[in-house]
Each structure stands twice: as C-alpha cells, then as structure tokens.
Amino acid sequence: MSAATPVLSVHDLSKSVQDSSGVLTILHTLAFEVQPGESVAIVGASGSGKSTLLSLLAGLDTPSTGSVMMCGQDLAQMNEDQRAAHRAKHVGFVFQNFQLISHLTALENVMLPLELRGDPQAQSQAALMLERVGLKSRTRHRPVVMSGGEQQRVALARAFVVNPDILMADEPTGSLDHETGVAVMDLMFNLNRERGTTLILVTHDEEIAQRCGRRLHIHGGHLQNG
C-alpha cells in the first residue's frame, strides 16, 4: 500500500435498520478519509452512531448504502470470510470489556492472533510485547487474577503484536478508573507513534479525544466535522 493511499476511504456511507415503527436511519451518508499514521477520535453522544460507524469501518457490519475502502480494498466486494481475512491482516482491536479469553494466560492471549496466522515465533513475539506493556511478570497469569488496567494492557499487546495497519478501539477506558485509563491511553498513543499504526478511537471522553490529531463528531447519525 502506497504511503499516499488512505488506509480508510468512506464514500456515501449510511446504515438503516427496520424496527417496529418503520425504517430507522442510524448513519446518514458519511464521507471521509483517514491517512496512514493518523489518530482519529469518533465522538458523539450515546446513541449517535459512533460504535455502528466503527463496526462498518472494520467490516464487522455491512452498510445500507455506500462503501468502505480499507487498505485499498472495497469491503463491500468481499464475502464475510474474505472480510474476516482482510481484517485479520490489517486491523487490531481494543474493546471496553477487554475480550480476553478467560482460560488462557496473558501470554497465550497475546500469542493467539500470531498462531492463527501460523507465525512460528508466536511465543517469543508475544513475550516481548507483554514486556513492552509492562507485564513481563504476569505472562503466566489468567485474566481473572489481573486488574482491569492489566487486562487492558494485555488487550493492547494482543492488538499491537501483529503490527496492524489500523488499531480500532471502542471506549477502551470505559471500564477503568481515571488514573488507570490515563496510563492505558499513554501506552496506546506511545505504541501508535512507535509503530506508525493508524488509530481510530471511539470515545465519549473529551480529554482522550483531544489527544487525537483529528475528531469526527457524529450527531444524530450525521458527520458534523472532520
């Protein structure tokens, strides 16, 4: 992918669903691009369509109209399996509730995406990544005995270990206290800069949003700026 090619290009994107009262439009005809290495916050009130937009950008959901180009490929032209393979190649995820696998250790959780793509160095790479996020002494621990901040750092290590072109994060500090959330976000932005990863972040936290290079404000399913 050329450095001049947007990692994400959104054209005439909308999402509507059918409910008991008729058609509900969640997102109205959005268009924007995200360049390699950018940090972009998607902000807006609860119910504004932020998480729906993130799901469309990731190819986890399909739009009613329009298209999303991810790393030069049109997600709409792929079937579900192809989208999953493309996402695995280019995207890392961090979620509010961590989504670690409870019966796996921290090391095994971070190894998993590497093992799924057949990487023979999965264990050593995962160990190095856990050391980078300050969890060298916790590699053999399972999520149940780890704090929320530690679990989110494991999730960051798992997301970054595959060197994704794009990191997508949905309210990544929503389950953390303020001090722990700040520490996790410091780590996320440091990794973002170190690795040149594009960061797409859904947040209601204005302090976090201001740390991003650009904000996309969603109001009632409409893009207000960007």
Side-chain angles (χ1 to χ4, degrees):
M1 185 177 61
S2 167
T5 302
V7 291
L8 286 169
S9 185
V10 174
H11 300 284
D12 299 327
L13 190 72
S14 73
K15 180 66 178 181
S16 299
V17 296
Q18 186 82 32
D19 67 7
S20 59
S21 61
V23 176
L24 173 65
T25 300
I26 301 172
L27 294 171
H28 300 261
T29 319
L30 309 185
F32 59 90
E33 292 183 341
V34 179
Q35 301 300 323
E38 267 198 285
S39 57
V40 179
I42 301 173
V43 298
S46 178
S48 61
K50 304 186 302 296
S51 292
T52 298
L53 175 56
L54 194 71
S55 292
L56 292 171
L57 295 180
L60 293 167
D61 194 5
T62 55
S64 300
T65 66
S67 64
V68 174
M69 299 284 291
M70 178 197 289
C71 299
Q73 299 294 316
D74 187 348
L75 297 181
Q77 300 303 312
M78 302 178 184
N79 62 34
E80 187 173 346
D81 289 342
Q82 290 169 330
R83 287 196 303 273
H86 192 65
R87 188 165 53 244
K89 182 178 179 181
H90 295 288
V91 182
F93 289 97
V94 178
F95 300 95
Q96 176 176 336
N97 60 354
F98 320 133
Q99 294 199 0
L100 301 178
I101 298 175
S102 61
H103 67 273
L104 298 183
T105 65
L107 182 65
E108 290 166 341
N109 267 283
V110 179
M111 287 172 60
L112 187 59
L114 295 170
E115 291 179 323
L116 289 174
R117 68 182 191 184
D119 194 317
Q121 304 298 320
Q123 183 170 334
S124 60
Q125 289 187 56
L128 285 171
M129 197 67 225
L130 282 168
E131 183 175 358
R132 172 63 187 83
V133 301
L135 293 176
K136 183 178 181 179
S137 65
R138 304 288 270 165
T139 58
R140 300 297 176 184
H141 292 78
R142 290 182 170 81
V144 68
V145 296
M146 304 178 82
S147 69
E150 288 174 331
Q151 290 185 61
Q152 194 60 295
R153 282 189 279 159
V154 174
L156 278 177
R158 182 182 59 187
F160 276 104
V161 77
V162 294
N163 289 314
D165 294 302
I166 308 165
L167 178 72
M168 295 187 178
D170 193 358
E171 300 285 6
T173 62
S175 298
L176 307 175
D177 63 78
H178 179 74
E179 183 177 352
T180 304
V182 169
V184 165
M185 291 310 303
D186 285 344
L187 179 59
M188 181 180 293
F189 281 105
N190 286 339
L191 289 168
N192 170 245
R193 285 190 294 270
E194 287 174 16
R195 295 176 174 240
T197 303
T198 303
L199 178 61
I200 310 292
L201 174 67
V202 166
T203 184
H204 67 276
D205 189 320
E206 185 64 22
E207 183 179 338
I208 292 173
Q210 288 180 352
R211 297 182 65 173
C212 292
R214 180 158 60 110
R215 282 179 287 178
L216 300 176
H217 194 277
I218 306 296
H219 179 72
H222 294 274
L223 181 61
Q224 298 295 301
N225 56 56

